[in-house]
Amino acid sequence: MKGIKVLATGRYAPDNLVTNEDFTKIVDTSDEWITTRTGMKIRHISDGEPTWMMASKAAKHALDNAGISAEEIDMLLVTTVTGDFYSPSVASMVQREIGAFHAFGMDLNAACSGFVYGMDTAYRYLLTGAAKKVLLISAETLSKITDYTDRSTCVLFGDGAAAAVLALGDGIYSSYLAMDAHDAHVLYARTHDNLNPFSTKGTQHPDGFTGAKDHFLYMDGRAVYKFAVKAMPEAVERAVEQAGLSLSDIDYIIPHQANIRIVQTAAKTLGLPMEKFLINVAEYGNTSSASVPLCLDEYNERGTFHPGDKIVVVGFGAGLTYAAAVFEW
Ligand code: ACO
């Protein structure tokens, strides 16, 4: 069985930094509440940068680090819930910007599990030989779907993008991807309404998604929290087991950076020390699918990983999706 090789990583986050203190000026909150409930301190918020631009900057950074040109990429896969257009895809916009004109491409929406779903999708294309090098990019501008009058959500989200150049390798690879839509209504953002001139009935198909204001992201925080503390350990355990490993073989776990308390609870459930979990939630907040690769790239840049290290990436989010993958550095 072949594994997946991360040839290089890269990232981009807007320069515009928003602190917990900044939120106290727009909603009734405090640095103390945000810090103790989430572990967040600052987020990077778009100052006009669209998703495709952040994605392209992260992609260029990863290609530079890999020392390869954009023409060498066969497949451009972008994970996002915040594309700039219904069509074309962010992948298409990235191709235009970076000149990866030998690649086919598409976007993938698995919400905050996006990077893990994307890595797994890339692996399948690599295995068949349909692609030899995949540029996987996770890019999000959550600020455009955040309701900045809702203190229970607005303090949580940030913007950013990160990328990985992937190829087949000799190490281990295994994954566990899951989705349970029973509670999909606890976390969502709706697209615009269908106002076509030929419709006489308006919206006739109630879907149970009723909490949101306009097209903003709605989240029942307690329900998502309950789901997350169960889903994250489950996905890790299943992926590790499928790899024929035990949890003690794992060197690092890179979790979706939604809330430090969720990670601490998952660590306890798994019986693993927090030192194995790589964290950067304080500097980025929750950037949906970009959060895992932003963390991967930061620690990669610091020289954290060594050949043979066994790494788990794990995400959870709208859908409700959850997923983990194990790979060797
Ligand atoms: N500042 C001050 N008080 C606040 C704030 C705020 N920003 N937000 C909520 N509160 C208040 C609430 O109104 C509530 O007050 P009440 O007791 O008077 O009713 C109190 O704080 C406690 O609220 P809870 O919702 O119980 O707070 P909790 O400890 O659960 O923390 C949080 C909320 C951080 C949202 C938590 O539930 C959470 O992390 N949920 C999971 C989020 C997540 O994982 N999302 C991932 C998917 S989304 C994505 O990734 C794009």
Side-chain angles (χ1 to χ4, degrees):
M1 194 63 169
K2 284 283 186 186
I4 202 163
K5 176 89 192 139
V6 178
L7 298 178
T9 60
R11 71 180 184 278
Y12 174 81
D15 289 336
N16 188 25
L17 298 181
V18 176
T19 64
N20 291 349
E21 208 51 46
D22 292 329
F23 278 100
T24 66
K25 292 169 196 141
I26 61 168
V27 287
D28 180 16
T29 191
S30 64
D31 175 45
E32 197 267 336
W33 191 96
I34 301 171
T35 306
T36 54
R37 299 292 181 119
T38 72
M40 295 169 188
K41 283 290 189 188
I42 52 175
R43 320 102 194 104
H44 300 248
I45 300 285
S46 170
D47 197 5
E49 297 100 324
T51 302
W52 66 263
M53 184 181 286
M54 295 196 296
S56 301
K57 289 189 173 185
K60 282 184 190 162
H61 187 208
L63 289 171
D64 285 349
N65 286 341
I68 64 171
S69 74
E71 282 91 11
E72 290 175 65
I73 297 298
D74 309 301
M75 178 179 182
L76 267 173
L77 185 56
V78 176
T79 76
T80 189
V81 296
T82 46
D84 308 291
F85 302 88
Y86 284 118
S87 194
S89 63
V90 177
S92 164
M93 298 295 286
V94 170
Q95 185 194 54
R96 226 166 150 246
E97 184 68 11
I98 70 172
F101 289 111
H102 295 137
F104 62 94
M106 60 181 139
D107 291 0
L108 183 159
N109 179 345
C112 310
S113 309
F115 182 78
V116 184
Y117 268 70
M119 182 179 240
D120 198 65
T121 305
Y123 177 66
R124 310 287 155 195
Y125 276 89
L126 290 166
L127 265 191
T128 65
K132 299 245 176 306
K133 286 194 184 75
V134 179
L135 182 51
L136 171 62
I137 310 161
S138 299
E140 304 285 4
T141 321
L142 291 175
S143 58
K144 69 184 175 188
I145 57 166
T146 297
D147 177 1
Y148 285 100
T149 65
D150 175 10
R151 70 173 180 174
S152 69
T153 55
C154 72
V155 301
L156 304 174
F157 302 119
D159 301 330
V165 184
L166 304 174
L168 277 187
D170 291 325
I172 287 161
Y173 179 82
S174 88
S175 62
Y176 175 72
L177 308 187
M179 182 165 72
D180 180 352
H182 282 101
D183 286 331
H185 59 280
V186 303
L187 179 56
Y188 70 92
R190 198 182 279 281
T191 63
H192 77 41
D193 299 331
N194 186 344
L195 300 173
N196 81 71
F198 305 105
S199 169
T200 56
K201 294 182 178 156
T203 302
Q204 288 288 301
H205 301 282
D207 51 22
F209 289 62
T210 54
K213 198 169 103 192
D214 303 324
H215 302 282
F216 292 124
L217 195 143
Y218 168 80
M219 182 174 74
D220 175 344
R222 286 180 202 181
V224 176
Y225 194 95
K226 252 174 80 182
F227 159 74
V229 294
K230 199 168 151 281
M232 210 154 84
E234 182 188 327
V236 172
E237 270 175 339
R238 297 242 193 165
V240 169
E241 190 185 308
Q242 270 201 35
L245 299 172
S246 62
L247 287 170
S248 57
D249 297 319
I250 301 303
D251 296 287
Y252 298 107
I253 298 182
I254 307 177
H256 175 39
Q257 312 280 317
N259 187 327
I260 190 70
R261 290 190 296 136
I262 293 174
V263 182
Q264 287 162 342
T265 307
K268 217 179 248 173
T269 305
L270 290 165
L272 291 173
M274 269 305 279
E275 295 74 62
K276 289 212 174 188
F277 290 79
L278 304 185
I279 304 292
N280 65 356
V281 69
E283 295 87 35
Y284 290 91
N286 179 345
T287 56
S288 189
S289 73
S291 88
V292 169
L294 277 168
C295 192
L296 176 71
D297 180 58
E298 278 215 315
Y299 282 88
N300 184 22
E301 194 174 70
R302 288 181 212 170
T304 305
F305 309 122
H306 299 101
D309 280 352
K310 292 173 189 63
I311 300 170
V312 177
V313 282
V314 56
F316 61 88
L320 298 170
T321 58
Y322 55 115
V326 185
F327 65 97
E328 218 165 310
W329 194 254

